[in-house]
Amino acid sequence: MRATKYKKEYNVKSHEVDCHGFLRLLSLMSILQDIAVENADKLGLGLEVCARHDLAWVGSNYLVKIFRMPRQHESFLIETWPAEKKLWGAIRDFTMTDESGKPIILASSQWVLIDAKRRRPGMLSKYFPDYEAFGERALKTDFPKLPTVGESASKTSFKVRFDDIDVNGHVNNTIYPLWASESVDKDYRMTHLPSEIELCFKKEALYSETVDVLTEQTEDESLHSICDTKSGDELAQCRIKWQKLV
């Protein structure tokens, strides 16, 4: 597999923006996921190839730095590439630049290769011995452990909808930051936009289950623990830094 960067021009559609006309957080995470899938397909390690070998790529971590959210009908260039090899998976990074070439969003993600039959991580070198990576990072991060949410955290509950489930049979990773952002105080949310997102995924959520989002909020940051309501197991952690809408 010869490592290549993958570029694509994207135009923000009307259904992808929020009430202020900015790209929705859910839309942003979906765009990152979509271009990652497209590049993996071109590199010969996409969904169909993995399915033939009972494998699956599962996102475990994200760091997304947002200088500004693109607006409705705005065009930008998104680029992604395999950044680093890991024992059980890989790092994939992204850049989004506006029409003048100025970066507007940078992102780094960590993916684990899963043996679907055994439900355990699979060694990257075993299944894709020719995997190459650039060794170039959009953001330098080792995805450090996020802080624990305090006992004074508020709680918001969500029921897993049919539309939250992906082809792997569990909640798609794009939904977790949506749950986190929806758990922030509504007046605050109406006047702020995310400037940085950290995500750590731990366990899958399934259709019709209920999740509790525990939220601790300060002036410019919210910390979230997303848990299974019935078992209490933590499914994911999220930290969002916010900037005031101007």
Side-chain angles (χ1 to χ4, degrees):
M1 183 207 84
R2 184 174 179 272
T4 57
K5 288 190 175 184
Y6 181 62
K7 299 180 181 180
K8 184 176 182 179
E9 187 171 330
Y10 198 90
N11 184 268
V12 180
K13 304 169 186 65
S14 58
H15 65 85
E16 295 176 317
V17 299
D18 61 19
C19 61
H20 301 297
F22 291 101
L23 185 70
R24 297 178 191 270
L25 182 54
L26 176 61
S27 300
L28 169 60
M29 300 305 295
S30 297
I31 291 168
L32 294 176
Q33 188 176 90
D34 284 347
I35 194 171
V37 170
E38 289 178 20
N39 188 215
D41 285 340
K42 289 184 177 295
L43 294 173
L45 40 84
L47 296 176
E48 292 184 2
V49 172
C50 285
R52 290 199 296 268
H53 295 87
D54 294 313
L55 299 171
W57 288 102
V58 176
S60 61
N61 299 85
Y62 274 90
L63 173 62
V64 184
K65 187 171 182 61
I66 303 165
F67 301 106
R68 69 170 182 86
M69 279 289 199
R71 290 181 174 271
Q72 182 176 344
H73 302 317
E74 181 178 352
S75 293
F76 60 84
L77 183 69
I78 181 168
E79 184 173 25
T80 186
W81 63 94
E84 286 186 13
K85 293 192 292 185
K86 296 291 184 178
L87 180 63
W88 306 107
I91 304 281
R92 171 172 289 279
D93 282 7
F94 309 80
T95 61
M96 294 184 183
T97 53
D98 63 19
E99 291 180 313
S100 69
K102 185 177 181 179
I104 55 175
I105 297 173
L106 304 176
S108 186
S109 61
Q110 185 163 236
W111 298 77
V112 178
L113 188 63
I114 297 294
D115 182 324
K117 283 187 174 180
R118 298 170 59 236
R119 307 294 289 178
R120 295 175 62 86
M123 291 185 65
L124 181 66
S125 60
K126 174 182 177 180
Y127 296 103
F128 298 110
D130 298 327
Y131 189 97
E132 292 183 6
F134 275 93
E136 176 185 333
R137 300 294 301 272
L139 293 171
K140 292 183 179 179
T141 178
D142 293 323
F143 305 102
K145 186 177 180 180
L146 291 174
T148 302
V149 173
E151 293 182 359
S152 61
S154 62
K155 183 173 75 172
T156 307
S157 299
F158 298 91
K159 187 170 183 178
V160 177
R161 308 169 304 170
F162 176 82
D163 283 348
D164 296 331
I165 305 300
D166 61 20
V167 294
N168 292 318
H170 57 230
V171 172
N172 189 272
N173 284 352
T174 61
I175 302 299
Y176 290 88
L178 173 66
W179 284 337
S181 66
E182 288 290 333
S183 302
V184 172
D185 174 80
K186 66 180 183 64
D187 293 329
Y188 182 92
R189 185 67 180 89
M190 286 294 292
T191 58
H192 290 75
L193 290 172
S195 64
E196 188 172 293
I197 304 157
E198 290 177 87
L199 290 166
C200 174
F201 302 99
K202 297 184 174 182
K203 194 174 180 181
E204 64 184 7
L206 304 175
Y207 180 39
S208 81
E209 291 180 342
T210 302
V211 299
D212 293 331
V213 182
L214 306 179
T215 299
E216 189 174 15
Q217 187 175 342
T218 62
E219 184 177 348
D220 59 0
E221 182 177 291
S222 58
L223 185 65
H224 311 268
S225 175
I226 302 173
C227 303
D228 181 281
T229 300
K230 189 174 182 179
S231 68
D233 292 343
E234 188 170 57
L235 309 176
Q237 291 177 293
C238 180
R239 175 161 57 185
I240 304 177
K241 294 183 179 180
W242 300 90
Q243 56 187 339
K244 195 168 180 61
L245 181 63
V246 292

